[in-house]
Amino acid sequence: MAAGIISVGLSLTGNGAPSLAALAVAGGLWLVLAADFTARWYGDRGRFRAEADTPAALTAVAATTVLGARLSMAGWRPVAVVLLAAAVLLWPWLMHSVVRHWRRGSPGAAFLVCVATQGLAVLAAVLAADTRSDWLARAALVAFCLGLLLYAEALVRFDFREVLHGAGDHWVAGGALAICALAGSKLTASPVWAGPVHDALRVATLATLGLSLTWYAVLLAAEAASPRPRYDIRRWATVFPLGMTATACLSAAGPTGVGPLRPLGEVLLWIAVAAWLLTFAALVRTHPGAPRGGGPAAG
């Protein structure tokens, strides 16, 4: 997920070669995730069911939609359509498993219920624009609205002590709002919506982006107040929100008419790239012979 959204951001800023390199990493990691998903389904059904009950399982949906959106940007529309179909099939089953086991005092990974749903909205909106499909744009709007509701529900259950003590996935609290803003920007840019609906989408995009940037500042201040230098696999769930916030700024600048969002997004993008590289270096230093394994928003 982290490599995928950084690839999208690099593409939006005209950095073609680094974007393709990040896309190759994202594609490779997605294939590893898919192989692991399939192996556990056939080889260890009990463990598979247990892990499907946790919010981290929704990274399967989120990662698929992020990769699909980037491939659609690259002109691989048929593959993106297949990935959207796969994500749509996975979403209700995994969402049902996760929601059944929701509890209060949840870590930041709980916000993946919103991230996965808004991932569907983003990919559907991107493909709707590519294919000029009104029904797909309407489906994206439904997913967008549902994602906002799921964010509110996850926020109620979030353990706010994670802001000072979380191992990395607490950043998804802000990243989930960023993907809401990204989905909103894609819908705002769609010619399907005009008049009051277009205005409402623009306001929703700017509101969620503003809240995401507020979370960014709060979480950054918390990291300074309570440093957590030791590597943890959940640190990849920090990189993804950093990249998502940058990409949301870049994507929202045009449709909302707020030009300064673009230079802000460019600055935030390079922060996200640096965070990806530092996290990867920490992984290699901690686990020689890495990369291996996965986690929330891994890679």
Side-chain angles (χ1 to χ4, degrees), residues 36 40 46-57 98:
D36 184 60
R40 292 186 187 185
R47 180 183 175 189
F48 182 89
R49 289 197 183 99
E51 293 181 349
D53 292 339
T54 66
V98 170

Side-chain angles (χ1 to χ4, degrees), residues 11-169:
S11 179
L12 291 174
T13 54
N15 293 282
S19 175
L20 289 175
L23 175 59
V25 172
L29 290 173
W30 185 88
L31 290 173
V32 171
L33 176 67
D36 184 60
F37 190 91
T38 304
R40 292 186 187 185
W41 170 258
Y42 286 106
D44 193 348
R45 196 69 61 87
R47 180 183 175 189
F48 182 89
R49 289 197 183 99
E51 293 181 349
D53 292 339
T54 66
L58 287 165
T59 57
V61 175
T64 299
T65 58
V66 169
L67 181 61
R70 179 62 185 92
L71 290 174
S72 182
M73 291 171 63
W76 290 40
R77 188 183 305 163
V79 180
V81 170
V82 171
L83 290 176
L84 176 60
V88 168
L89 289 173
L90 282 173
W91 181 87
W93 170 53
L94 290 175
M95 186 66 68
H96 178 258
S97 296
V98 170
V99 170
R100 279 192 310 135
H101 295 85
W102 252 8
R103 67 183 191 282
R104 292 190 179 275
S106 297
F111 289 97
L112 284 166
V113 296
C114 170
V115 173
T117 306
Q118 293 293 3
L120 294 176
V122 170
L123 182 50
V126 168
L127 288 172
D130 288 346
T131 60
R132 299 181 182 178
S133 172
D134 289 1
W135 75 266
L136 198 52
R138 291 187 175 90
L141 179 60
V142 171
F144 173 69
C145 294
L146 179 57
L148 293 176
L149 293 174
L150 287 168
Y151 183 88
E153 184 65 25
L155 186 64
V156 169
R157 298 172 183 275
F158 179 53
D159 182 355
F160 282 88
R161 292 174 296 181
E162 290 285 300
V163 172
L164 285 173
H165 306 293
D169 60 326

Side-chain angles (χ1 to χ4, degrees), residues 152-249:
E153 184 65 25
L155 186 64
V156 169
R157 298 172 183 275
F158 179 53
D159 182 355
F160 282 88
R161 292 174 296 181
E162 290 285 300
V163 172
L164 285 173
H165 306 293
D169 60 326
H170 56 293
W171 277 82
V172 185
L177 282 170
I179 196 172
C180 290
L182 178 60
S185 72
K186 299 300 182 184
L187 289 166
T188 303
S190 171
V192 173
W193 313 113
V197 177
H198 174 273
D199 294 340
L201 285 168
R202 180 180 181 275
V203 170
T205 299
L206 291 174
T208 51
L209 183 55
L211 290 171
S212 174
L213 290 169
T214 300
W215 263 116
Y216 195 115
V218 169
L219 291 168
L220 195 61
E223 294 280 355
S226 179
R228 284 147 274 185
R230 179 174 297 181
Y231 174 77
D232 189 291
I233 192 67
R234 286 168 289 184
R235 267 305 176 194
W236 288 109
T238 298
V239 181
F240 174 72
L242 295 176
M244 182 57 72
T245 305
T247 302
C249 288

Side-chain angles (χ1 to χ4, degrees), residues 243-296:
M244 182 57 72
T245 305
T247 302
C249 288
L250 292 167
S251 182
T256 62
V258 183
L261 285 175
R262 183 166 182 85
L264 174 61
E266 291 173 351
V267 171
L268 295 180
L269 176 63
W270 291 112
I271 293 174
V273 171
W276 193 98
L277 294 172
L278 288 171
T279 305
F280 182 78
L283 168 64
V284 173
R285 185 174 62 252
T286 307
H287 302 288
R292 346 177 261 204

